[in-house]
Amino acid sequence: MKGRILTGDRPTGPLHLGHYVGSLANRVKLQDEYDTFIIIADVQALTTNFEHPEKLPGDVRQVTKDYLAVGLDPEKATIFVQSLVPQIAELTIFYSMFITVNVLRHNPTIKTEAKQYGYQDMTYGFLGYPVSQAADITFCKANLVPVGADQVPHVEFARKIARRFNELYKPVLAEPEALVGDVGRLVGLDGNAKMSKSLGNCIYLSDSPEEVKQKVSMAVTDPARMRRNDLGHPNVCTVFAYQKVFNPGFVKELKKACETAAIGCVDCKKRLSAELNALLDPMRERRAKYEADPKLVEEILIAGTDRARQEGAKTIAEVREAMCLDYF
Ligand code: ATP
Ligand code: MG
């Protein structure tokens, strides 16, 4: 039997190169080998954006187009909307009965994100976000979860929940494992440790060639290299970090050329934009097809959500039986 993948994103804006190297590239690579489920986590978007639900319909479609553009094939990957799969909400409630508040309070990702958002207090939903993520992963009995490095503690937590459930009741759930992409955390264009929508330091998969060139030209480089003839220090340069990821064949030569000032930042950046645009061009082509046919995007989501609901129904029947909740 094929293994199963579950992974996804919060629809809070367009996807970027960090998503690509952290998780999307693995999803595309593995969709032939694994039965793949891709969740658009709209409920989890509300953990931080509950005041702006009106953005969700547009964001859900945008993320779907990003998936299709990147090469996820709806024939192989089931793309679905979280809030339309009620079994996930049911599982979240059942798991909440045996997870303590202190365990959630000490979750490292929750702590980091609460600080990032400046929360003094937090909603019940935000604190319980890892529980709901465990429900996402286990509702279809996924065993592999391709994610960026920041998500690894959540997957570990989901694994613990599955194990605890299996011990408490019956061995119904699969214990998932995280799979981190080639680059678990891509730096931001501004030199920040993480490219992130909420930090505004991203190259989006939907950016035009000109936008890519413009953003790369503004990217932070070695601050000690003010003039063209100053010697460079590639190891502190953001653009060099990108070259390592997106233009690995050029890195050895570039390192030497930068350190000896044989190449300047302007040329180095040109090489990088060209490489990034070559990566993004086929995505642009695929995206154009879906942009032209919004109905097709909707049909893909409806079919995917339907299939997810069927899988959810199977799992919840077993879960209810294991928990003695199958009364009639
Ligand atoms: P937000 O700022 O709204 O939290 P985000 O840009 O951090 O958005 P998420 O939706 O939180 O993106 O993350 C979705 C997936 O992409 C996760 O698996 C996450 O680990 C991965 N990911 C996000 N940013 C990066 C990055 N810079 N490098 C590698 N992986 C990333
Ligand atoms: Mg995030």
Side-chain angles (χ1 to χ4, degrees), residues 10 19 113 116-117 129 150-151 194 196-198:
R10 305 192 317 145
H19 296 118
E113 290 190 359
Q116 186 191 324
Y117 291 113
Y129 166 26
D150 61 337
Q151 290 292 318
K194 191 180 164 217
S196 168
K197 281 173 277 194
S198 36

Side-chain angles (χ1 to χ4, degrees), residues 17-313:
L17 286 175
H19 296 118
Y20 182 73
V21 294
S23 170
L24 292 170
N26 264 339
R27 300 181 201 176
V28 175
K29 199 165 73 190
L30 295 172
Q31 63 181 338
D32 293 307
E33 220 179 299
Y34 284 81
D35 187 11
T36 298
F37 285 77
I38 308 287
I39 186 168
I40 303 181
D42 59 338
V43 181
Q44 277 156 17
L46 293 171
T47 59
T48 52
N49 296 359
F50 60 89
E51 287 167 306
H52 297 289
E54 71 283 355
K55 286 187 67 239
L56 281 172
D59 284 345
V60 165
R61 285 171 175 80
Q62 185 173 44
V63 170
T64 310
K65 281 184 267 180
D66 280 329
Y67 289 158
L68 297 166
V70 113
L72 281 171
D73 176 351
E75 297 290 321
K76 299 173 188 159
T78 301
I79 303 172
F80 68 97
V81 180
Q82 183 186 31
S83 69
L84 295 175
V85 181
Q87 296 88 356
I88 294 178
E90 271 184 81
L91 288 177
T92 306
I93 291 181
F94 294 157
Y95 300 161
S96 303
M97 299 308 132
F98 57 85
I99 297 303
T100 68
V101 173
N102 269 343
V103 163
L104 292 169
R105 278 214 187 106
H106 294 128
N107 179 294
T109 310
I110 289 287
K111 276 207 233 167
T112 314
E113 290 190 359
K115 201 184 275 174
Q116 186 191 324
Y117 291 113
Y119 291 160
Q120 297 301 320
D121 191 9
M122 58 186 88
T123 63
Y124 179 50
F126 183 85
L127 181 67
Y129 166 26
V131 181
S132 126
Q133 226 175 38
D136 299 338
I137 296 169
T138 53
F139 98 96
C140 64
K141 301 192 178 177
N143 28 45
L144 197 66
V145 189
V147 283
D150 61 337
Q151 290 292 318
V152 172
H154 286 333
V155 181
E156 290 294 316
F157 186 68
R159 211 235 288 274
K160 278 190 196 144
I161 289 191
R163 189 174 297 164
R164 183 91 179 107
F165 181 98
N166 290 342
E167 284 164 5
L168 276 170
Y169 308 116
K170 263 187 189 175
V172 165
L173 302 176
E175 290 184 19
E177 238 173 86
L179 176 73
V180 177
D182 291 341
V183 183
R185 198 179 60 191
L186 184 70
V187 296
L189 287 171
D190 55 356
N192 188 294
K194 191 180 164 217
M195 178 176 280
S196 168
K197 281 173 277 194
S198 36
L199 296 173
N201 58 7
C202 304
I203 292 180
Y204 294 108
L205 303 178
S206 47
D207 279 347
S208 68
E210 291 68 33
E211 281 170 314
V212 170
K213 272 186 215 157
Q214 169 66 14
K215 286 181 177 179
V216 170
S217 76
M218 303 294 286
V220 170
T221 52
D222 170 10
R225 198 170 182 201
M226 309 280 281
R227 267 166 265 111
R228 170 66 187 81
N229 292 330
D230 293 342
L231 305 184
H233 307 87
N235 290 334
V236 300
C237 176
T238 306
V239 175
F240 187 72
Y242 279 75
Q243 297 275 24
K244 280 204 273 196
V245 177
F246 298 102
N247 199 2
F250 177 48
V251 162
K252 208 171 151 206
E253 178 193 335
L254 173 63
K255 184 169 185 291
K256 213 166 173 194
C258 175
E259 284 169 344
T260 54
I263 187 171
C265 295
V266 173
D267 285 333
C268 173
K269 285 176 165 178
K270 274 189 193 147
R271 295 278 298 252
L272 178 64
S273 318
E275 212 59 38
L276 292 177
N277 278 325
L279 172 73
L280 296 175
D281 274 340
M283 300 185 199
R284 293 178 180 127
E285 239 166 78
R286 278 190 292 261
R287 183 187 303 276
K289 174 179 136 198
Y290 292 105
E291 290 286 4
D293 193 353
K295 196 126 187 282
L296 178 58
V297 175
E298 213 149 282
E299 281 164 11
I300 289 168
L301 277 179
I302 292 169
T305 304
D306 221 48
R307 164 138 200 256
R309 260 196 234 115
Q310 287 169 28
E311 284 308 309

